[in-house]
Amino acid sequence: MRWDGQRIGGASGDDATRAAADDALPGLALSGLVRSVRTPEFQGVTFHEVAARSALNRVPEASRVPFRWTVNPMRGCLHACTYCFARPTHEYLDLGAGRDFETQIVVKTNVVEVLRAEVARRGWRREHVALGTNTDPYQRAEGRYRLMPGIIGALAGSGTPLSVLTKGPLLRRDLPLLVEASATVPVSVAVSLAVGDTALQQSLEPGTPDPRARLELVRAITDAGLPCTVLVAPVLPWLTDGVEHLDDLLRRLADAGAADVTVMPLHLRGAVKPLFLQWLARERPRLVAPYRRLYGSGAYVPAEYTRWLSDRVQPLRRRHGFTSRAPWRPTHDAPEPALVGAQPTLF
Ligand code: SF4
């Protein structure tokens, strides 16, 4: 999806860290581009600030996700997960799904004001809005732009239910706001943590906070009085699908106070597949051939693997007390998942 706004000019103002819009990548064609910014706090990263004409995105009818609206204040993600399903969406912006996705971050700087106008319209039916379905709304750049407080306020203030999924401990900053919002509208918060081994996590998700930081985030959300679901996804065949790893991870999540866990296997759509195979070739070369066999020419594990993983996870869920029937909530990691370990009736 391209940004719909109109180009409104190059750089202006007095931000000493700003680079001129001419510093944008050659060929970059972002509608609504206001300026491109680099700053010493984010080495190697360029922020492309755009004025967008819309904030609410309608989910295509064909999608099986249990929400119809999303807001994505940014495109691209500093968390740089190797397996990230959202990578190919950068290609719609004339950017690459690889390094560009991690370093060329598009920011809808006017998202709050546009959203406020959209949810104030008479025709807005206050349907559930999922935050961060394409990229992580609490990636580190949110510390610079502070868009989420306004987004939460606009949704809650209009009586719109919302959900947030993140890997970012920065969410703690907005916990008081989320708690306040939950007094007037349904609010659900989920954290993504699928790799318990720190070395593997740093290799697979080099821009993300380590498992301990995310466990502490789960604890903080729970202590604030909001139930926290954890998305244990993607589970990586031969890397993180062992009983020992899953058992240990679910135990740590239970100890941190997680209300429920949803476990899903890796899928590799579009440009993500060659990128992930490159990572495997570099880090786990012996697994390249098994992955090629498992995924074949497609993007998904076979149904047998999904059943096998589900059978493996169910007793672990019970062992660690994850027996609730809390609804699964939207994710940026897995928009159309083969659901494992949660209630199949949700879709
Ligand atoms: S999986 Fe989520 S956190 Fe990781 S890069 Fe993609 S959007 Fe960011």
Side-chain angles (χ1 to χ4, degrees):
M1 180 184 69
R2 289 171 191 278
W3 302 105
D4 292 331
Q6 295 181 332
R7 184 183 177 91
I8 60 175
S12 62
D14 60 1
D15 184 343
T17 64
R18 187 193 60 242
D22 290 346
D23 284 348
L25 291 184
L28 183 64
L30 285 174
S31 293
L33 179 64
V34 177
R35 62 177 190 169
S36 296
V37 181
R38 296 189 188 126
T39 169
E41 299 159 70
F42 294 88
Q43 284 293 333
V45 176
T46 304
F47 294 107
H48 303 286
E49 299 178 352
V50 299
R53 288 204 317 220
S54 66
L56 286 163
N57 308 302
R58 184 191 282 278
V59 177
E61 290 299 325
S63 173
R64 294 180 298 151
V65 294
F67 50 91
R68 297 271 60 87
W69 297 95
T70 65
V71 173
N72 290 297
M74 296 183 199
R75 303 290 297 270
C77 190
L78 299 170
H79 284 163
C81 304
T82 312
Y83 52 74
C84 176
F85 93 95
R87 286 179 175 276
T89 62
H90 238 43
E91 293 172 340
Y92 304 152
L93 307 172
D94 296 334
L95 292 166
R99 191 79 184 127
D100 280 357
F101 180 80
E102 306 160 8
T103 58
Q104 305 297 318
I105 308 298
V106 178
V107 187
K108 266 180 165 175
T109 48
N110 63 341
V111 67
V112 175
E113 105 194 43
V114 174
L115 179 62
R116 278 198 196 113
E118 288 178 338
V119 295
R121 283 185 192 142
R122 190 187 293 259
W124 173 240
R125 293 166 56 187
R126 299 181 178 82
E127 293 176 78
H128 176 106
V129 173
L131 298 173
T133 53
N134 202 0
T135 55
D136 196 318
Y138 285 104
Q139 57 179 297
R140 213 158 50 88
E142 168 61 16
R144 172 184 170 89
Y145 286 99
R146 295 186 70 88
L147 298 172
M148 286 297 285
I151 292 171
I152 294 165
L155 293 173
S158 66
T160 303
L162 61 123
S163 61
V164 186
L165 174 111
T166 187
K167 290 183 170 99
L170 183 56
L171 178 138
R172 293 169 87 137
R173 181 198 67 193
D174 293 345
L175 266 177
L177 268 179
L178 289 163
V179 170
E180 190 183 326
S182 71
T184 53
V185 295
V187 172
S188 60
V189 181
V191 170
S192 172
L193 175 57
V195 186
D197 176 86
T198 303
L200 182 59
Q201 171 262 328
Q202 286 293 309
S203 176
L204 277 165
E205 309 167 341
T208 60
D210 68 19
R212 183 191 293 190
R214 279 182 266 171
L215 289 164
E216 287 171 358
L217 176 61
V218 172
R219 170 51 64 198
I221 294 166
T222 305
D223 287 350
L226 295 171
C228 180
T229 299
V230 175
L231 185 71
V232 180
V235 171
L236 308 172
W238 295 289
L239 286 169
T240 60
D241 63 357
V243 170
E244 202 175 309
H245 174 263
L246 290 168
D247 185 38
D248 183 59
L249 185 56
L250 266 56
R251 178 187 57 74
R252 292 161 76 192
L253 291 171
D255 290 348
D260 201 2
V261 293
T262 298
V263 184
M264 291 183 279
L266 174 72
H267 58 77
L268 295 168
R269 282 183 295 197
V272 184
K273 192 170 187 178
L275 287 168
F276 188 77
L277 288 172
Q278 277 171 27
W279 177 88
L280 272 183
R282 197 173 62 245
E283 303 292 334
R284 298 288 194 280
R286 286 188 195 161
L287 289 180
V288 171
Y291 266 73
R292 286 193 188 283
R293 280 196 296 276
L294 188 66
Y295 285 84
S297 58
Y300 298 93
V301 289
E304 297 75 30
Y305 179 90
T306 303
R307 278 195 293 276
W308 173 85
L309 182 61
S310 179
D311 288 347
R312 171 162 286 194
V313 166
Q314 291 301 355
L316 301 178
R317 281 174 54 81
R318 284 193 294 274
R319 178 182 301 168
H320 298 293
F322 295 120
T323 54
S324 77
R325 301 181 84 77
W328 178 78
R329 279 303 173 200
T331 81
H332 55 269
D333 294 85
E336 295 179 307
L339 202 60
V340 176
Q343 305 308 312
T345 52
L346 290 172
F347 291 96

